[in-house]
Amino acid sequence: MVTLAKISIRGRVQGVGFRPYVYKSAVTCGLKGYVANTPTGVDIEVEGDNAEGFVEQLKKDTPPLCSIDETHIEVLPLLKGYRDFTIKKSLGNSPPFTQISPDISICGDCLRELLDPNDRRYLYPFINCTNCGPRYSIIKSVPYDRENTTMSGFQMCEDCRGEYGNPENRRFHAEPIACERCGPALTLVLPGRKYAAATETPIGQVIELLRQGGIAAIKGIGGFHLVCDALNNDTVKRLRERKKRQSKPFAMMAATTDSIKEFARVSDKEEALLTSPRRPIVLLRKKESAVSPLVSGHVSQHGFMLPSTPLHYLLFYHPSGLAAFKALVVTSGNRTGEPIITENDEALDKLSGVADAFLLNDRDIHMGCDDSVVRITEDGLPIFIRRSRGYVAEALRLDVDGPEALAYGGDLKNTFTLLKGHYAIPSPYHGDMENLGTVEIFNRNLNNISAIFGITPAIVACDAHPGYAAGAMAIERNAHETIFIQHHHAHALSVMAEHGLSGDAVAVILDGTGYGADGNTWGGEFLVTNPCGFTRAGHFKYMPMPGGDKAAGEPRRMAVAYIADAFGDRARHVLNTLGFIERHGEEFIDTILRIIPIRELSPLGSSAGRLFDAVSSITASADINTYEGQAPMELESIVLPWVGESYPYGILDGAIVDFSATIKAIVSDVIDGVDKGRTAAMFHNTVVAAVSEMTMRICDTTGLKDVLLSGGTFQNAYLLDNTISRLKTLGLNVYTNEKVPCNDGGISLGQAYGARRLVCAQRS
Ligand code: ZN
Ligand code: ZN
Ligand code: FE
C-alpha cells in the first residue's frame, strides 16, 4: 500500500553524509519525498510502498560517522504526490539543537586520491569528503551548511559543484569540498630563508627544511603545531630552548602504526585508538629507539598520533620527501601556558622566535582545539588525559532531562560543560585560567558553543574555591542560580554523570589539590555521596605543605614534610643520610623544617598527589616538577609490575589513612639501596591496599556497593588497574571516568550534572 511517512531523526546526523545516504536508500527503495537538515537533526518525508518500513532499512547501514539517538515516525493520512526524491536546503532557523560532528581524520578513499597522480586532487592538502575532514573547527553556526562554515568565502569551481550536487558522488553535500582550483591554498613564510629549497612547492620546501633540522609552524585542523624531526637531537634541543619547555614530553607523529611500533609497544586497543578517525595522541610504552631522548625525558612513554589531515600525510608521502622522516615531533603551537594559536598573523607574531618557517593556509579555524591525549591501561581501560580535537563538541547522553545549565570547571586544565535536555556538551580543553589568553578563548568558545546549541542557561555551577578565576567568572555572570560544588564532589559527580548513577555511592577521589569544605586543601578523599551532596567519610592524613603552592612544584618540600612527620626529632638526621642536605643545601632543608609547624606558611593538605610527589623525591630524586605531575609520572614509570609486596600503613580512628609507617619503610629501603623500581611498586601497592581497606570499611558501615574512582592521581594506570581489581575482588561495583578526564578537565561535567540534580531536587 502506498503511504506517506514523516520521519524525524535526532543524533549526530549532520555533516556526516547522512542526507546523501538517505537519498540513496530512498531511491533504491523506489520511494519519493525529501530529506532536509533541521535545527534538531534531520526530517524525512517518504511516499511509496511500505514507507513506514523505511526507517528499519535506514538504520541498517548508516555512514560511519553518524549516530542515531532517536527516531520519530508519523504516518500521514494524505499523500502529497511527490514526483521524485530530493535533498532540500535546510529547514528552519529557530533556536537550534543538533549535534555537530567533531573534526574527523582523512578517510581511506581521500588518502588514496591524495596519492594518486591521476586524481584531480593529487597532492591537494585540503582534500575531504562526506566521510572526513574538518567539522567542529570550521562551523560558525547551524544548520551545518557551507555558508555557515569558514568555507563560505570559497566559490566552488564547476567540477566541485558537480560533485557536490551529484547524489551518486562521495562528495555529495560535503560542505568543506574543495580542490586546487577553488579551495584553500598553502602559503609558506620563511622569515630568514636560510634553508636551501630543493623544490618550489610549499610542502616540498617545508620537508627540506625539516630534513635539514629546521622547526616549522604548521597550521592544522584545530590550530598550529610546531614540527621537527624527532630523531634529530640538536633540533629537539633547540625546540626545547626556544619554546622554553624544559622537559614536558613532546608528542610525535609517524606515518603508520607499523612505524610507531619501531618506537613503542602498541596493544590491539591502542592500535584501534590510534587508527580511529578521531586520531588522538596515545601514550605508549617506549622502546629503545633512535628517537631523541629529549622528546619524552624520564617517563616511560611516548605520545604518538597518526596523521589526521591530508597535509600531515604529505609530510611523509610527498614525492619530494618520500620516507624522509620516521617520526616528527608535533607539539601545540603556543607559548608555554597560553592557548593553542589558530590565526596566521598570531602565529607569525608569537612563534617568530621559535619556528624557522610557517606553513599557513587561508581556511580559517573558527574554533580552535588542542590534540586529545588518551592512554590505555594494561587492563584495557581508557584514561582521557585531555579530551579535545576529534571529540569536541560531541554531546554525551545523560540519564536525566532538566533545565539548561553551564558549569565553569576548575582553574587548571579548564573545560566548561553545557547541559541541554538529555545532553552534556563538554568544551575543548582550555588550559590554565590564570592566563588571560585562556580566559579569552574560554569566553569565545562559550559564546560560540552556546549559540550553536541554542543554550541560555539559567543555572550556573562552579568550584567552591574562593580564589578560582573560573569561579569569579561564574559569579559575574549573575545567573538565576549560581551553585558552588566542592571540587572532589565534582570529580565524583563526573563519574555519576557518565554512568547514569543517581543513588548513594562511595567516592574515592585521589587528586592533586582542591578546596576543601573545612578550608584545608583536600585531595585524598573518601566521600559518601549522591548527586545532591556528600559527607566526608575519610581522608589521607593532613600533612603540612611547606610554602603552600610552592609545595606542588617542588616534591622535595613534601618529602621533607613527610619525613618530619614520620621521624620527628630524627628527621634532620634521616634527611642527611638520604642525601637531601647534600642535594639541596643545609639552609634550604633547615628553612623547610622551620616553617613546617607554621600554618600560615605550611597549610594543611590531604592531597594524594603530594604523597606521590614526596615518595618520588625520596625514592627517585624527582625533586622539582618542571611540569605538573612530573614526579608521580616518573615514579609510575619505574614500577616493576611483578612485585606484589607492599609496605605497612595505618588507619587512624577508622577514618584517617596514615602513611607514616610506609614512609619509614621506604626510607630504610632507599638507605639499604633496594632497587628503586621495587620500592616504587611496593609504594603503589600500599596505596592500593590502604585505599581498598578504607573503602571496604565505609561500604561495610553504610551498606553501599557502588564505588566511584576519580581525581587526577588516577591517571596513573598501574594505580587505577590495581585499585579496580582489588575493589572488584572485594565484591564492589567500581565505576570510573571513561569519557572525560579524571583530572580537572572532567570536573565541569560533574559540576553541571550536580547543579542540575540539586535544582531538580529542590524544585520537586
Ligand atoms: Zn574522505
Ligand atoms: Zn574545485
Ligand atoms: Fe582535581
Side-chain angles (χ1 to χ4, degrees):
M1 200 182 87
V2 175
T3 49
L4 171 65
K6 191 175 163 62
I7 304 159
S8 311
I9 298 183
R10 290 181 181 225
R12 193 168 67 236
V13 288
Q14 291 190 13
V16 292
F18 190 69
R19 283 180 304 166
Y21 164 72
V22 173
Y23 173 90
K24 273 186 222 163
S25 313
V27 170
T28 315
C29 297
L31 297 169
K32 313 275 162 72
Y34 74 86
V35 55
N37 282 346
T38 68
T40 58
V42 160
D43 274 4
I44 305 167
E45 281 193 17
V46 280
E47 208 172 76
D49 272 334
N50 189 23
E52 60 270 42
F54 178 62
V55 173
E56 291 317 306
Q57 172 70 25
L58 208 56
K59 282 181 180 167
K60 270 186 203 147
D61 199 19
T62 53
L65 305 178
C66 126
S67 74
I68 295 176
D69 290 338
E70 275 172 57
T71 52
H72 179 80
I73 315 172
E74 199 184 339
V75 180
L76 300 176
L78 284 175
L79 297 183
K80 292 195 182 167
Y82 286 111
R83 284 206 243 142
D84 51 10
F85 194 91
T86 53
I87 298 186
K88 279 202 194 173
K89 253 189 105 66
S90 303
L91 300 174
N93 50 7
S94 53
F97 181 75
T98 186
Q99 297 203 40
I100 58 172
S101 167
D103 300 309
I104 292 296
S105 74
I106 177 173
C107 72
D109 290 331
C110 286
L111 182 57
R112 252 186 309 280
E113 291 170 357
L114 177 72
L115 303 176
D116 174 4
N118 298 315
D119 192 274
R120 76 181 190 92
R121 291 190 180 82
Y122 177 52
L123 305 183
Y124 180 58
F126 302 94
I127 185 171
N128 64 77
C129 72
T130 45
N131 298 323
C132 75
R135 297 287 187 275
Y136 166 79
S137 59
I138 61 165
I139 293 176
K140 297 208 265 191
S141 62
V142 286
Y144 172 63
D145 285 332
R146 188 171 172 105
E147 68 244 36
N148 290 333
T149 70
T150 61
M151 285 299 293
S152 61
F154 296 93
Q155 279 293 336
M156 276 181 235
C157 70
E158 222 170 283
D159 288 342
C160 284
R161 188 172 298 284
E163 293 169 334
Y164 184 86
N166 175 6
E168 302 297 321
N169 194 285
R170 203 174 83 248
R171 298 198 167 83
F172 180 59
H173 277 263
E175 307 303 342
I177 189 174
C179 76
E180 190 86 56
R181 260 197 294 159
C182 67
L186 297 173
T187 313
L188 181 68
V189 177
L190 286 165
R193 216 192 159 85
K194 49 189 162 172
Y195 293 89
T199 151
E200 279 312 309
T201 69
I203 294 178
Q205 290 187 65
V206 164
I207 290 172
E208 191 52 34
L209 173 135
L210 293 173
R211 212 203 307 249
Q212 293 178 33
I215 297 167
I218 300 180
K219 188 174 175 185
I221 291 256
F224 274 84
H225 283 123
L226 287 162
V227 180
C228 73
D229 186 351
L231 276 59
N232 185 331
N233 203 46
D234 291 343
T235 303
V236 180
K237 187 163 173 246
R238 196 160 352 109
L239 178 61
R240 287 221 173 269
E241 285 163 3
R242 290 188 189 171
K243 221 192 161 195
K244 299 188 183 66
R245 180 153 131 167
Q246 214 181 328
S247 47
K248 187 176 179 190
F250 288 134
M252 289 183 282
M253 182 182 283
T256 62
T257 328
D258 277 346
S259 45
I260 292 176
K261 285 177 180 168
E262 252 186 69
F263 307 111
R265 265 178 272 277
V266 183
S267 72
D268 290 349
K269 280 205 174 171
E270 287 163 342
E271 179 152 2
L273 195 55
L274 281 167
T275 54
S276 89
R278 302 175 188 275
R279 295 290 153 93
I281 295 166
V282 182
L283 302 184
L284 304 164
R285 280 156 305 154
K286 263 183 205 176
K287 282 183 183 171
E288 199 67 50
S289 78
V291 162
S292 158
L294 296 174
V295 169
S296 43
H298 291 306
V299 297
S300 61
Q301 295 178 308
H302 282 319
F304 262 106
M305 61 182 149
L306 289 173
S308 51
T309 70
L311 180 55
H312 292 154
Y313 272 106
L314 291 176
L315 295 174
F316 293 99
Y317 291 120
H318 196 275
S320 76
L322 202 58
F325 312 107
K326 289 192 152 182
L328 292 168
V329 165
V330 176
T331 184
S332 295
N334 58 357
R335 290 205 288 224
T336 297
E338 292 186 10
I340 189 164
I341 294 168
T342 54
E343 280 167 35
N344 291 339
D345 290 346
E346 199 190 355
L348 289 170
D349 172 34
K350 289 191 170 168
L351 300 176
S352 61
V354 185
D356 302 306
F358 295 82
L359 191 53
L360 313 175
N361 70 66
D362 51 357
R363 185 176 69 197
D364 287 342
I365 298 169
H366 187 63
M367 288 191 279
C369 50
D370 283 79
D371 296 313
S372 295
V373 184
V374 189
R375 73 184 291 196
I376 304 273
T377 70
E378 286 292 317
D379 292 345
L381 271 178
I383 300 177
F384 272 88
I385 310 292
R386 183 191 295 163
R387 180 188 183 273
S388 226
R389 179 186 51 76
Y391 294 89
V392 291
E394 192 166 68
L396 307 176
R397 179 105 184 151
L398 298 175
D399 65 324
V400 280
D401 204 341
E404 292 178 1
L406 160 64
Y408 276 74
D411 266 15
L412 296 172
K413 302 188 175 63
N414 177 275
T415 61
F416 62 75
T417 292
L418 286 157
L419 299 192
K420 176 162 181 159
H422 273 286
Y423 291 104
I425 304 119
S427 77
Y429 163 92
H430 296 124
D432 182 353
M433 295 293 275
E434 274 166 25
N435 185 290
L436 278 182
T438 312
V439 172
E440 244 168 66
I441 295 288
F442 178 105
N443 285 323
R444 193 186 142 105
N445 284 343
L446 179 57
N447 289 337
N448 287 331
I449 297 175
S450 31
I452 284 176
F453 287 93
I455 304 177
T456 39
I459 304 171
V460 159
C462 64
D463 198 280
H465 196 304
Y468 266 5
M473 287 161 69
I475 294 165
E476 226 168 88
R477 192 178 173 104
N478 209 6
H480 184 65
E481 276 177 277
T482 305
I483 293 166
F484 299 88
I485 309 252
Q486 197 277 329
H487 189 91
H488 303 99
H489 187 215
H491 276 301
L493 285 161
S494 72
V495 181
M496 291 189 199
E498 275 194 32
H499 295 275
L501 302 170
S502 52
D504 289 339
V506 176
V508 179
I509 312 298
L510 302 188
D511 202 23
T513 51
Y515 185 73
D518 61 358
N520 289 322
T521 297
W522 291 10
E525 306 304 314
F526 300 83
L527 313 176
V528 173
T529 177
N530 64 39
C532 297
F534 71 94
T535 53
R536 193 187 197 197
H539 59 88
F540 284 11
K541 186 167 92 176
Y542 277 133
M543 204 51 61
M545 300 184 296
D549 283 349
K550 272 191 190 152
E554 296 185 22
R556 58 183 180 172
R557 288 173 183 256
M558 289 313 298
V560 175
Y562 267 96
I563 285 168
D565 171 69
F567 292 94
D569 293 345
R570 291 199 299 127
R572 201 175 184 286
H573 170 73
V574 169
L575 286 163
N576 192 24
T577 317
L578 282 171
F580 266 66
I581 292 181
E582 202 183 325
R583 247 168 34 225
H584 309 293
E586 212 157 343
E587 202 188 325
F588 177 80
I589 296 297
D590 287 339
T591 307
I592 299 296
L593 286 171
R594 202 167 48 243
I595 66 170
I596 280 175
I598 307 170
R599 276 307 136 258
E600 296 78 53
L601 300 175
S602 304
L604 294 176
S606 54
S607 163
R610 296 298 86 78
L611 169 67
F612 276 76
D613 277 353
V615 173
S616 191
S617 169
I618 296 169
T619 312
S621 309
D623 295 321
I624 310 271
N625 283 337
T626 66
Y627 58 92
E628 204 215 338
Q630 179 178 10
M633 276 169 74
E634 292 184 5
L635 190 66
E636 184 196 350
S637 285
I638 59 171
V639 164
L640 298 175
W642 55 86
V643 175
E645 297 103 302
S646 54
Y647 293 115
Y649 59 88
I651 293 182
L652 313 173
D653 304 326
I656 311 293
V657 184
D658 177 8
F659 290 101
S660 54
T662 318
I663 296 293
K664 279 184 182 157
I666 289 172
V667 164
S668 111
D669 274 1
V670 170
I671 291 170
D672 290 349
V674 171
D675 186 304
K676 288 174 186 175
R678 185 177 173 78
T679 308
M682 286 179 65
F683 165 67
H684 277 75
N685 298 341
T686 310
V687 175
V688 171
V691 161
S692 305
E693 186 184 340
M694 188 67 209
T695 307
M696 198 60 218
R697 286 190 188 200
I698 300 168
C699 288
D700 281 344
T701 350
T702 55
L704 297 171
K705 284 253 176 230
D706 289 347
V707 179
L708 322 173
L709 305 182
S710 189
T713 303
F714 279 117
Q715 290 170 106
N716 183 319
Y718 181 89
L719 180 71
L720 183 66
D721 275 349
N722 286 283
T723 307
I724 291 176
S725 68
R726 177 74 67 97
L727 293 172
K728 282 189 174 163
T729 316
L730 294 169
L732 303 171
N733 312 318
V734 188
Y735 302 90
T736 181
N737 295 111
E738 292 171 34
K739 293 176 184 157
V740 298
C742 59
N743 63 40
D744 286 6
I747 64 171
S748 64
L749 174 66
Q751 292 169 350
Y753 181 72
R756 172 188 268 182
R757 297 297 298 239
L758 194 65
V759 169
C760 289
Q762 285 166 350
R763 285 180 189 170
S764 65

